[in-house]
Amino acid sequence: MKPIIDAHVAEPGLAVVEIAAADDETAFAVQELLAARWGIPPADRTTREPGEPGVRLRCWTCVHNSTRSTKRRASLTR
C-alpha cells in the first residue's frame, strides 16, 4: 500500500485503519462494522500486494465522529 498521508493523522482524533483480510467480502464486512460505529467514508476497493496473503483495505476515521462521542458531547452540553 501507499504510505499514509500526513494530513490523515495531523491532529489528535484522526486515524488511519488498515484492514487485512483473506478476501474482499471479509474486508468490506469489517469496513461496514467500522462505518456503523465511526461514520467512516467507505473505500471502494481492496488491494493485493504481490507475495503477501489476502487483501488490504485502508480507511480513515475521526474518533469525534463516533456515536458514543456524539452522545457524550450532547450530554455535556445540557
Side-chain angles (χ1 to χ4, degrees):
M1 293 196 103
K2 294 180 181 179
I4 294 170
I5 299 170
D6 291 344
H8 289 143
V9 293
E11 61 185 69
L14 299 178
V16 176
V17 179
E18 187 170 306
I19 300 165
D23 56 28
D24 288 352
E25 184 178 344
T26 303
F28 287 121
V30 172
Q31 178 182 247
E32 280 186 43
L33 292 172
L34 293 172
R37 173 73 168 107
W38 296 102
I40 62 169
D44 58 352
R45 64 183 175 87
T46 61
T47 60
R48 292 186 182 274
E49 295 293 329
E52 292 186 20
V55 298
R56 303 288 188 277
L57 182 146
R58 186 178 285 170
C59 48
W60 298 265
T61 189
C62 175
V63 296
H64 306 295
N65 290 342
S66 77
T67 304
R68 180 180 293 160
S69 293
T70 302
K71 288 178 182 175
R72 179 168 164 68
R73 282 196 307 272
S75 71
L76 294 174
T77 59
R78 291 182 187 164

